Structures are given as C-alpha cells and as structure tokens.
Amino acid sequence: MKITCSKQELMRAINIVTKAVPANTTMPVLKCVFIDASASEIKFTANDMELGIETKVDGVILEQGVVALEAKLFSDMIRKMEESDVTIASDENFNTTITCEKAKFNIMGQSGEDFPYLPFVEKDYQVILSQFTLKEVIRQTIFSIASTETNKIMTGELFDIKENSLRVISLDGHRISIRNILLKDSLEARRAIVPGKTLNEISKILSGGTEDDVEIYLTENLILFEFDGNVVVSRLIEGKYFNVDQMITNDYETKVTINRQDFTSCLDRATLMVKEGDKRPIILNIADNVMEMKISSQIGKMNDVLDIELEGKPIKIGFNPRFMLDALRVIDDETIDIYFMNSKAPCFIRDEEQSYNYMVLPVNFVD
Amino acid sequence: MKITCSKQELMRAINIVTKAVPANTTMPVLKCVFIDASASEIKFTANDMELGIETKVDGVILEQGVVALEAKLFSDMIRKMEESDVTIASDENFNTTITCEKAKFNIMGQSGEDFPYLPFVEKDYQVILSQFTLKEVIRQTIFSIASTETNKIMTGELFDIKENSLRVISLDGHRISIRNILLKDSLEARRAIVPGKTLNEISKILSGGTEDDVEIYLTENLILFEFDGNVVVSRLIEGKYFNVDQMITNDYETKVTINRQDFTSCLDRATLMVKEGDKRPIILNIADNVMEMKISSQIGKMNDVLDIELEGKPIKIGFNPRFMLDALRVIDDETIDIYFMNSKAPCFIRDEEQSYNYMVLPVNFVD
C-alpha cells in the first residue's frame, strides 16, 4: 500500500477515528487505526467493538492495499511532521515507512486481517438532525446518565421517537433530564438506548453547524450516524428503558420564577460546603418575592437570598446543590420556572413548551 | 478582625501567596493563608517552612486583628463570589464570616498563633534584576535541575555573582545549563544555591516586565525577593556547588552551525522512538554541509537530514534527544553553534558572547 495525503488532512482524520480507540483492550489490533486503500478511496477506521468510526481521507492512492498502525504512535508521528505532504507506504510484511520532506519513520504495521470491520447497518429507519441540534441535545442531557455500570440502562440515553418528535432522556436515580426536539418529518414510533460513551465521543466530532446535517439510522441493535464523510456505528444498550412518563407530572402547588444566572452562582457557592459524596442539601425557603438559601456542614455555612416571583404556596425544600446546578448550566433561558408539589416530591424545571424538563428529587433535611 | 477588599484584589493576593502552601504537611496551620490586619496594612502570608510568600493587599481595615483561613477553601469561596467588595470578619473565637452582596459564608478560622512568620533577612547584599530577566533565566535553566532528592544540591540552581556578572547554573549529571547576565553594578563575589521549587514558584508570580525590578537580597542561609509589594523568602540549599569551570572548555575540533527550529523539529520527532527512561541515542553523522540523523529502537526507526555549516572535522556522535531538545527550546537565536571535541566528549551549544552555554554529555552507541 502507498498513499500520499497532506499532514493536515491526516491529522483531521486521525483525530476523528481515534475517538473509538479503546484505552484498554485485550485485542492489540483494536489499538490501531486501520488504513484501507484497497479500493478507490482512502478510509481510516477505529473500532472498540461497541463504537466504530470510519472517515474518508482526501489523498492519492499510489498503490492499493491496507495496513493497521498503532494509533497513538501514528498520531504522534504525523503531528510532529512538517506541514507538508506525507507518504505512507507498507510492504508485503507491513513494514511501514512514513515520509514527509526529508524526515522518515520506519515502523512495523499489522496486516489488519483480524481488524473488525464496522457492522453493516440496514438503512430503513432514518432520522435527520442538524449537527448543532445533536451536539446541543447531548450536552444538555449527558450529565445525568449514571457513571457506574450497576444499572447498564442508566449509562445510556433514551432516543424516543414518536410522530414528528424526538425525546432524548437520561436519568440516574436522582434526577431526569428530558429534551424535546421537533423533527421535520413524522416517523414510525421507535425507542433506542444509546450508550453515553458513544454520545460523548460523537459530540466531540460533530462540527455543531446549524446548516450541517447528521443522518441517523436505527436498527434493533445498532445506531449509525453519517455526517461530513464520517460513519459512526454504535451498539445500542439492550433492555427496556424506564417509564419516565409515570415519573413526571405537570401539577404543582408552587411555581417560582427566578434569574437563572443568579441562582446558578448561589448553588455554585453552596457546593463548596459539600464534600464529594456528601449528600448535604441546600435548603430553599421560598416565600413571597424572596428565596432564602442555606447550607451547613462540617466545613461551614452559607446563606444567600434571591429575588423571585412566587405563584402558589410558600415551601421549604432541600436539594443536592450539584444536581440543581447541572440542570441550570445547560439551560439557555435568562429566567427559569421551577415547579414544586411539596417538600417530599420532586421539582421540575421546564419551559412552557416543554422543550426541556429537568426533574430533581428532593433531599430530606432536619431544620 | 474585619476587612473589606475588592474580590479582584483578594484573588490576586490569594493566587500569589498560595504558591507557598504545601500540598502535604503535618502542620495543619501551614495549609492556611495568614491574614494580618493587626497594624495599618493588610498582608497575606503563606509559608511551607522552606519558601514563604507575603503580599500587601489593598483594602480597608475596619477592625484590627489576624486570622488564618484554610487556603483552598478560602480561595474557592472568594473565586465564586460576585465581582464586588468582600468583607472578611472574625470574632474572638476566629469564627469567620465572608460576605459579598447577599451571599454569606461562615467558616472556622484559626488563631494563627502558631503560624510561622517569614524569617528576618538582613538587607546587606543586594542584586537588582528586571522581572523579565529573572523570569527568563529561570525558564532557560530550570529544566536541567535533578528531579530526585538523591543529590540535594542538584535540585537547586547556583546563583554565582562575581563583579558585574551573575551566572545561573543548573546541572543533573547528564548536562549543564549556564546563563550569564550582566549586572548594572559590580558586587562582592557571592555564591548561593537556590532551591528549584522556589525558582519555579517565583517565576509564576513574576510579571515578567522589562521595566519592573526585582530586588534580591542574600544572606548565608536565605534569599529574599522583593517586587510589586510581594516578599518571597526562601532557604538556600546548604553545601558547596560543583566546580563547573572544570567541566567546560572552549576548545573544539568540530563546529556545526544549524537552524535551531529545524533541528528542534527533528529531535522532537526522534523522541517518539524512545520510551520514557530508555537511553537510546539519536546518532548525528556530521559531514560537510549535511548532518544525517538516525535513531532506532523496538518502536521503529527515524532518519532525517539537515543542511549545516561545518568548521573542522566530520564527527559521528550520539545524544539523548530529549536533553538536546530541552536546551534548544530555551534558546531564542535563529541559528545556533554546536561545538564538539570527539564522540566521547560533551558538546557545547553556546553563543559567541557566552550569554548561554549548554553542555550535553554524549551517549555511547553501537553502529
């Protein structure tokens, strides 16, 4: 195999596919970028068996063939080359030379014959989103997936499609994040649980342009994303997602309208009083026009007061300040509405159109 | 004690003094910033017993007194406050309230009665440098101090003053870095070994301005730096520094003139072939007009060629590419001269005025 590409194009492609190179694996070939120049196009692929990424690379094929190169070393070598054309050549034993101007590297490549190709995905069921929308919706929900594998389903997000709406949902047992997206077309109902890791990695690759589309295809076990010459395939998480509709309600006894940025700053300060893993709540004392906040721990105490608009009953309720904070940080509105039922029931932060709905469970407190 | 300062001024002062807060200590009070408002000025101090930093803080003393506050928490609290005036008040039990707008923190302070004051430094022997010069000379030499405490003296840098010259020297057994600085005044000869940690921390505080001076005072055991209302005091390392003059020579058999940036790029690529801790050399094959470079290891091979100007004999010699690289990265000249004696003797990278002189020991190689 022998190909020539610009250094810049190689770096672009490497940065994309290496998102799917596993940090640890018992299969050494998975640590590689697989270079496929066996047909008329150059493609780079990486695959950790759950997530696979393939990207087309702009360049010239001087001799057809394939080779698998250790991803970290390959990436470092290309990065340290001059800004010029780079030639990658492999002989029949996969001895590989990488040349740029007068600099030349020789390394051992692998045949890649045991490199797992991306699984084939039937393109029957298609959803189209802008890159901006997909990137945003991931950012706005990913923080409330569960970080431990105790409940596998909680480590993913539900993509729930019904008619012309896509609901993206994550939950971790303490809170639920829901974002609603309007689709251009009406689709057959479908639910898929997408691994959080897949969403994290794909959001790093997405340009985030409002004019650039992502085509998403779903099968029973797989999800495929196509955009900008990239193909990202991921396994779905098997199982049945939680019945979230049972957990949310639009009823309320108390509605608080508050400046988001001010509330965020207060909660951020409150977190200083809570050690990692400590469940000490911030206590919100909501009365007409003002909300008093206080938190106390072995570290110390914090008090603060914010102006609010109150509709309904006064209430006193405790929350993990970090959970509140996570939700507030991904909302763009200047002013938010929080809905409460009573001090034992969850609160909901949602806008009128319910384009977002964040539920946080309260924490008991001794006054 | 009760003081009021702007949030911005508090952050400035905290960021300076916390450079002297130890990461680990058996004396809890050393984890604190000591706030001294007992006289007419506000001063913050931190001290890890080897390095102590004091800074004047602009603000209003409403009630004289002192208090010691845990540095990390204090810093986090101030950082998360609004951009406004902050009031810090302690009662007779050192219960401390920190207030900014409506936000209020209560934490337990400490009396600070066991907080170690900075040692008194006799101001007999003064050296004046610009902040730019001191910051630069540290950057240009600090990389070749020894990182392990096996030989304590190697963890510091020699400040060697003779007449109107200051030589700053570091060495680690494989290489020597020397920078020569011309002083305004002629001074009595004096040598001091300044801990590397002190130099690292002070270089983070220095503004680096060419118009801003640093006053340095030396006693037998201490060094004092005064600049911008800051006082930095450090113990010196005891002992006799190496006789570096014995190790360097101006004789040479081969002189190579080379583009610094090109050589740096080659060496940087070569380091990819060397695992951390591996002593595999890059072999320079220097002939008329060209220098061939090659390195090989289990990882692979790298070859490169650079145009050079040669004066004297051709030579073939091996070096640890990282050691070469460290020196090249802190030289500003576009073109550098490297002097060689033979393949067993160190090479020297120096300019004509010897404002810098970097020695690197060669590594044996089997061709």
Side-chain angles (χ1 to χ4, degrees):
Chain A
M1 188 208 72
K2 190 170 180 182
I3 59 173
T4 297
C5 310
S6 75
K7 175 201 165 168
Q8 203 188 349
E9 171 67 0
L10 287 173
M11 275 322 295
R12 185 197 63 75
I14 290 170
N15 285 336
I16 288 172
V17 295
T18 49
K19 302 285 186 292
V21 174
N24 295 304
T25 173
T26 50
M27 283 175 67
V29 78
L30 299 187
K31 293 291 239 177
C32 291
V33 171
F34 181 67
I35 302 178
D36 183 349
S38 60
S40 61
E41 287 181 324
I42 306 170
K43 286 181 191 169
F44 285 8
T45 310
N47 191 349
D48 71 7
M49 303 305 278
E50 179 162 292
L51 171 67
I53 304 177
E54 178 188 286
T55 191
K56 277 183 212 161
V57 187
D58 209 24
V60 179
I61 302 176
L62 303 165
E63 196 188 303
Q64 290 187 325
V66 301
V67 69
L69 301 178
E70 203 276 307
K72 173 81 172 59
L73 181 61
F74 182 40
S75 168
D76 286 344
M77 287 188 299
I78 301 299
R79 197 179 58 251
K80 287 181 192 280
M81 286 297 198
E82 307 291 323
E83 298 294 330
S84 184
D85 278 348
V86 178
T87 299
I88 304 169
S90 296
D91 68 14
E92 65 282 8
N93 299 318
F94 303 96
N95 280 312
T96 302
T97 349
I98 299 173
T99 322
C100 177
E101 303 288 335
K102 289 180 189 159
K104 187 160 112 179
F105 283 110
N106 282 283
I107 57 167
M108 268 312 294
Q110 296 178 42
S111 71
E113 59 188 5
D114 49 350
F115 192 87
Y117 274 89
L118 298 194
F120 172 75
V121 178
E122 199 78 58
K123 291 187 175 180
D124 285 338
Y125 189 92
Q126 187 196 49
V127 185
I128 297 184
L129 297 178
S130 77
Q131 292 203 30
F132 174 79
T133 302
L134 181 57
K135 197 175 169 114
E136 277 293 282
V137 78
I138 295 171
R139 182 181 70 87
Q140 291 161 340
T141 53
I142 197 76
F143 60 87
S144 62
I145 60 170
S147 50
T148 56
E149 295 268 326
T150 321
N151 187 329
K152 181 84 179 165
I153 286 175
M154 284 192 190
T155 66
E157 301 201 351
L158 180 68
F159 278 49
D160 182 10
I161 299 157
K162 206 185 286 174
E163 294 170 0
N164 65 341
S165 114
L166 163 65
R167 280 206 304 178
V168 178
I169 303 175
S170 67
L171 61 78
D172 68 358
H174 303 287
R175 50 196 171 153
I176 307 175
S177 304
I178 306 174
R179 285 272 169 174
N180 280 298
I181 293 157
L182 214 63
L183 302 173
K184 280 176 207 153
D185 306 307
S186 212
L187 292 168
E188 187 192 318
R190 190 73 81 98
R191 291 158 72 95
I193 309 171
V194 188
K197 181 174 179 305
T198 295
L199 295 170
N200 264 322
E201 298 305 337
I202 203 169
S203 87
K204 292 178 199 157
I205 308 173
L206 289 166
S207 72
T210 47
E211 301 297 313
D212 307 325
D213 277 349
V214 187
E215 290 168 30
I216 303 175
Y217 299 94
L218 283 173
T219 69
E220 209 189 317
N221 303 313
L222 296 169
I223 187 165
L224 164 65
F225 302 85
E226 281 193 3
F227 57 100
D228 300 341
N230 305 315
V231 174
V232 179
V233 185
S234 167
R235 283 185 197 282
L236 295 173
I237 297 175
E238 285 174 41
K240 197 171 168 334
Y241 203 72
F242 308 92
N243 186 343
V244 169
D245 293 317
Q246 262 181 6
M247 307 175 193
I248 60 180
T249 168
N250 288 331
D251 297 342
Y252 63 92
E253 294 285 336
T254 307
K255 175 184 172 188
V256 168
T257 304
I258 191 168
N259 178 288
R260 184 180 62 85
Q261 192 50 61
D262 290 347
F263 192 24
T264 304
S265 300
C266 290
L267 291 167
D268 190 28
R269 284 192 285 272
T271 59
L272 290 181
M273 299 293 112
V274 190
K275 280 198 190 130
E276 199 66 45
D278 188 355
K279 286 178 184 166
R280 210 164 289 269
I282 182 166
I283 300 162
L284 312 181
N285 193 356
I286 295 163
D288 219 9
N289 299 324
V290 289
M291 175 164 78
E292 286 174 20
M293 285 154 285
K294 62 177 185 183
I295 186 166
S296 67
S297 72
Q298 287 162 310
I299 300 171
K301 286 184 220 165
M302 194 217 66
N303 298 280
D304 212 332
V305 180
L306 281 180
D307 295 334
I308 57 159
E309 272 176 52
L310 173 68
E311 181 192 319
K313 292 185 192 165
I315 186 176
K316 199 168 186 180
I317 188 167
F319 289 102
N320 180 326
R322 288 188 225 275
F323 291 167
M324 269 298 195
L325 201 52
D326 285 343
L328 292 180
R329 279 184 172 144
V330 297
I331 297 174
D332 296 321
D333 298 341
E334 201 183 320
T335 304
I336 53 161
D337 299 322
I338 315 178
Y339 299 85
F340 304 88
M341 184 61 89
N342 59 57
S343 66
K344 306 283 181 200
C347 79
F348 296 90
I349 308 170
R350 62 169 184 260
D351 59 350
E352 274 181 36
E353 310 80 50
Q354 301 222 10
S355 74
Y356 59 82
N357 194 354
Y358 292 97
M359 188 207 87
V360 184
L361 283 179
V363 179
N364 287 332
F365 60 92
V366 194
D367 204 11
Chain B
M1 187 209 73
K2 189 170 180 182
I3 60 172
T4 298
C5 310
S6 74
K7 175 200 164 167
Q8 203 189 350
E9 171 67 0
L10 287 173
M11 276 321 297
R12 186 199 61 77
I14 290 170
N15 284 337
I16 288 172
V17 296
T18 49
K19 303 284 186 293
V21 175
N24 296 303
T25 172
T26 50
M27 284 176 66
V29 78
L30 299 187
K31 291 291 237 177
C32 291
V33 171
F34 182 67
I35 302 178
D36 184 348
S38 60
S40 62
E41 287 181 324
I42 307 170
K43 286 181 191 169
F44 285 7
T45 310
N47 190 349
D48 71 7
M49 304 304 279
E50 180 162 292
L51 171 68
I53 304 177
E54 179 189 287
T55 190
K56 278 184 212 162
V57 187
D58 209 24
V60 178
I61 302 176
L62 303 166
E63 196 189 302
Q64 290 187 326
V66 302
V67 68
L69 301 178
E70 203 275 308
K72 174 79 171 61
L73 181 62
F74 182 40
S75 168
D76 286 343
M77 286 188 299
I78 301 299
R79 196 178 59 249
K80 288 182 192 280
M81 287 297 199
E82 307 290 322
E83 297 295 330
S84 184
D85 279 349
V86 177
T87 299
I88 304 169
S90 298
D91 69 13
E92 65 281 10
N93 298 319
F94 303 98
N95 280 312
T96 303
T97 343
I98 300 173
T99 323
C100 178
E101 303 289 335
K102 288 180 189 160
K104 188 161 110 180
F105 282 110
N106 281 283
I107 57 166
M108 268 310 296
Q110 296 178 41
S111 72
E113 59 187 5
D114 50 349
F115 191 88
Y117 274 89
L118 297 194
F120 172 75
V121 178
E122 199 76 60
K123 292 187 174 179
D124 286 338
Y125 188 92
Q126 187 195 50
V127 186
I128 297 184
L129 298 178
S130 77
Q131 292 202 32
F132 174 80
T133 302
L134 181 57
K135 195 174 170 115
E136 277 292 284
V137 78
I138 295 171
R139 180 181 72 86
Q140 290 161 340
T141 52
I142 197 75
F143 60 86
S144 62
I145 60 170
S147 51
T148 57
E149 294 268 326
T150 321
N151 188 330
K152 181 84 180 165
I153 285 175
M154 284 192 190
T155 66
E157 300 202 351
L158 181 68
F159 277 50
D160 182 10
I161 299 156
K162 207 184 285 173
E163 294 170 359
N164 64 341
S165 113
L166 162 66
R167 280 207 304 179
V168 177
I169 303 175
S170 68
L171 60 80
D172 68 359
H174 303 285
R175 52 202 171 147
I176 306 176
S177 304
I178 305 174
R179 284 272 168 174
N180 280 298
I181 292 157
L182 214 63
L183 301 173
K184 279 176 207 154
D185 305 308
S186 213
L187 291 169
E188 188 192 317
R190 189 74 79 98
R191 291 159 71 94
I193 309 171
V194 187
K197 182 174 178 304
T198 296
L199 295 171
N200 264 322
E201 298 304 337
I202 203 168
S203 87
K204 292 177 200 159
I205 308 173
L206 289 166
S207 73
T210 48
E211 301 297 314
D212 307 324
D213 278 349
V214 187
E215 291 169 28
I216 303 174
Y217 299 94
L218 283 172
T219 70
E220 209 189 319
N221 303 314
L222 295 169
I223 187 165
L224 164 65
F225 302 86
E226 281 193 2
F227 57 101
D228 300 340
N230 305 315
V231 175
V232 179
V233 185
S234 166
R235 284 184 197 283
L236 296 172
I237 296 174
E238 286 175 40
K240 198 172 169 329
Y241 203 74
F242 309 90
N243 186 344
V244 169
D245 293 317
Q246 261 182 6
M247 307 176 194
I248 61 180
T249 167
N250 288 331
D251 297 342
Y252 64 92
E253 294 285 336
T254 307
K255 175 184 172 186
V256 168
T257 304
I258 192 167
N259 178 288
R260 184 181 62 83
Q261 191 50 60
D262 290 347
F263 192 23
T264 304
S265 300
C266 290
L267 291 167
D268 189 28
R269 284 192 284 271
T271 59
L272 291 181
M273 299 293 112
V274 191
K275 281 199 189 128
E276 199 65 46
D278 187 356
K279 286 177 184 165
R280 212 165 289 269
I282 182 165
I283 300 163
L284 312 181
N285 193 356
I286 295 163
D288 220 8
N289 300 324
V290 289
M291 175 163 78
E292 285 174 19
M293 286 155 283
K294 63 176 184 182
I295 186 165
S296 67
S297 72
Q298 287 163 309
I299 300 172
K301 286 185 221 166
M302 194 217 66
N303 298 279
D304 212 333
V305 180
L306 281 179
D307 295 333
I308 57 159
E309 273 175 51
L310 174 68
E311 181 193 318
K313 291 185 193 167
I315 185 176
K316 198 168 186 180
I317 188 167
F319 289 101
N320 180 327
R322 288 188 224 276
F323 291 167
M324 268 301 195
L325 201 52
D326 285 342
L328 292 181
R329 280 185 171 144
V330 298
I331 297 174
D332 296 321
D333 298 342
E334 200 183 321
T335 305
I336 53 161
D337 299 321
I338 314 179
Y339 299 85
F340 304 88
M341 184 62 87
N342 60 57
S343 66
K344 306 282 182 201
C347 80
F348 295 90
I349 308 170
R350 62 170 183 260
D351 59 349
E352 273 182 36
E353 312 80 48
Q354 302 221 8
S355 74
Y356 60 82
N357 195 351
Y358 292 97
M359 187 206 90
V360 183
L361 283 179
V363 179
N364 286 332
F365 60 93
V366 194
D367 206 10

